[in-house]
Amino acid sequence: MYPTSLTQLARANPFSAPLFSLQKVEEPQQSLNGQRPRRLAAAATADEDVSCEFGSSKYYALCGFGGILSCGITHTAVVPLDLVKCRMQVNPDKYKGIGNGFAVTIREDGVRGLAKGWAPTFIGYSMQGLCKFGFYEVFKIFYSDTLGEENAYLWRTSLYLAASASAEFFADIALAPMEAVKVRIQTQPGYANTLRQGVPKMFAEEGLWAFYKGVVPLWMRQIPYTMMKFACFERTVELLYKYVVPKPRSECSKPEQLVVTFVAGYIAGVFCAIVSHPADSVVSVLNKEKGSTAVQVLKRLGPKGVWKGLVARIIMIGTLTALQWFIYDSVKVYFRLPRPPPPEMPESLKKKLGLTE
């Protein structure tokens, strides 16, 4: 049979080669030596010394732990920049820029004032990291198995987008309460100075809704951000090894591989900041004010207002995303978890597309 459906899929994929010479081939009845065909996400090298099976409960648990460290540590480390960014978004007349924002904050609250909101940031983003990275691995393997080896390769960018969006949906539910407390502490001077002061005060004033009224804007901000973060990272790593790194990944040392991870993470982070910034502005204003809705805030900010603080966020998110991927990959290296190399076209698909004899 001539694989017309596969041909259409391959040609429709913007990341594949533009033209193929098709040949008539027989479908293989089973994989070699009775082994299961290799999944897109499970292309680990055979001689790699790993501590657990790819896709096992231990694998998912350690990936979740890596997510806790990568998100919790990095977001807490940039609390001062995040504080200034949030204040620029909700009060642009007072905080006119990054430098001015730092100066005003230090003048009014002292150096310690730059650390406001560190506790809800650490707790909230640790929980988000657990769900974001842990569920991403779960959904990536699930969707890959559902599509099959060949379709998973052809549609790998869509697979990354779907897996990351699914993971972030649950991650934002875990993040929302602490994000609401953090923004209230950072943007309303005198409201509360600590997590222990902020939580009971918010609950007494607005009830449980106070902690979840920002979840929809969070989805608007974080789901596009995470889709870009994971899909752009995965494809950038693939392109770096293909066109920039002078030797195959299998010949690179672990430190060299981690450098590639950091560079790909920073590139992904810049795009993440741009696509998610308007929603981030809405979240900051919404969590500061009582009784407002996302639509009302968006109308009031206008087309220019939603981009306030973008430079600060690009610096913050670019560094943040690079460090997150670096820490996450380092955790995988330390615990000797399976670390699949960039995906390659399956041999069966090469034969169908006439790329091999």
Side-chain angles (χ1 to χ4, degrees):
M1 58 174 287
Y2 289 97
T4 55
S5 60
L6 279 172
T7 307
Q8 293 169 355
L9 286 174
R11 286 175 174 168
N13 183 359
F15 296 99
S16 60
L19 295 173
F20 296 98
S21 175
L22 300 179
Q23 297 178 359
K24 186 175 181 179
V25 296
E26 297 295 330
E27 295 283 348
Q29 297 300 314
Q30 61 182 8
S31 57
L32 297 176
N33 302 323
Q35 297 178 346
R36 292 190 304 169
R38 190 182 73 177
R39 293 179 295 194
L40 168 68
T45 55
D47 60 347
E48 189 173 359
D49 179 26
V50 295
S51 62
C52 62
E53 182 183 353
F54 185 82
S56 64
S57 298
K58 180 180 178 181
Y59 176 80
Y60 291 136
L62 290 175
C63 286
F65 177 69
I68 289 174
L69 294 182
S70 67
C71 291
I73 292 173
T74 53
H75 277 276
T76 305
V78 296
V79 161
L81 186 60
D82 183 47
L83 180 143
V84 172
K85 182 266 300 179
C86 286
R87 291 184 173 182
M88 288 170 58
Q89 289 172 328
V90 301
N91 195 351
D93 294 331
K94 182 177 181 180
Y95 303 93
K96 303 181 185 302
I98 299 174
N100 176 259
F102 273 102
V104 173
T105 300
I106 293 173
R107 185 170 62 249
E108 293 182 348
D109 302 326
V111 176
R112 293 185 62 182
L114 293 173
K116 277 188 175 181
W118 75 267
T121 296
F122 179 74
I123 296 170
Y125 282 94
S126 292
M127 294 302 97
Q128 188 211 35
L130 169 67
C131 298
K132 184 199 298 272
F133 284 92
F135 283 141
Y136 175 69
E137 299 287 351
V138 172
F139 284 115
K140 184 167 71 168
I141 293 173
F142 174 75
Y143 293 151
S144 178
D145 288 344
T146 301
L147 289 172
E149 184 184 22
E150 294 177 356
N151 284 332
Y153 175 81
L154 288 170
W155 294 97
R156 60 194 182 282
T157 303
S158 300
L159 187 151
Y160 302 145
L161 292 170
S164 56
S166 301
E168 189 61 34
F169 176 85
F170 296 101
D172 289 342
I173 295 174
L175 168 65
M178 292 296 101
E179 177 73 2
V181 178
K182 174 192 78 86
V183 172
R184 193 69 65 91
I185 291 173
Q186 290 181 337
T187 60
Q188 288 191 7
Y191 182 84
N193 291 320
T194 65
L195 176 64
R196 287 183 294 179
Q197 293 174 357
V199 170
K201 190 171 183 179
M202 289 177 63
F203 184 77
E205 292 177 350
E206 301 179 63
L208 191 62
W209 173 243
F211 303 102
Y212 286 99
K213 70 177 184 178
V215 72
V216 173
L218 263 182
W219 282 330
M220 292 166 57
R221 180 188 82 183
Q222 290 295 131
I223 289 179
Y225 163 86
T226 302
M227 292 170 71
M228 182 66 71
K229 174 179 179 175
F230 282 86
C232 185
F233 172 80
E234 298 270 19
R235 293 312 303 256
T236 301
V237 167
E238 187 178 334
L239 293 174
L240 286 176
Y241 279 113
K242 186 174 182 180
Y243 296 109
V244 179
V245 180
K247 54 186 176 181
R249 180 183 184 270
S250 58
E251 297 178 11
C252 295
S253 64
K254 291 295 191 295
E256 289 172 336
Q257 293 177 16
L258 290 174
V259 169
V260 175
T261 295
F262 184 86
V263 173
Y266 207 102
I267 293 171
V270 172
F271 289 99
C272 289
I274 295 171
V275 301
S276 62
H277 189 73
D280 181 67
S281 298
V282 173
V283 170
S284 295
V285 176
L286 189 65
N287 282 323
K288 177 193 173 186
E289 300 177 350
K290 298 177 185 178
S292 296
T293 66
V295 175
Q296 291 171 341
V297 171
L298 189 59
K299 287 181 179 178
R300 189 164 68 253
L301 288 175
K304 291 182 65 177
V306 295
W307 295 106
K308 289 285 185 181
L310 177 61
V311 175
R313 194 157 190 269
I314 286 177
I315 296 171
M316 184 183 80
I317 296 300
T319 306
L320 202 73
T321 306
L323 289 174
Q324 284 178 357
W325 279 113
F326 184 83
I327 293 171
Y328 182 65
D329 219 18
S330 296
V331 169
K332 283 188 169 184
V333 170
Y334 179 81
F335 288 107
R336 297 185 293 111
L337 299 183
R339 297 171 59 246
E344 297 179 357
M345 184 180 290
E347 289 299 322
S348 59
L349 185 57
K350 289 181 180 179
K351 292 179 179 179
K352 290 180 179 181
L353 297 175
L355 301 178
T356 59
E357 294 297 329

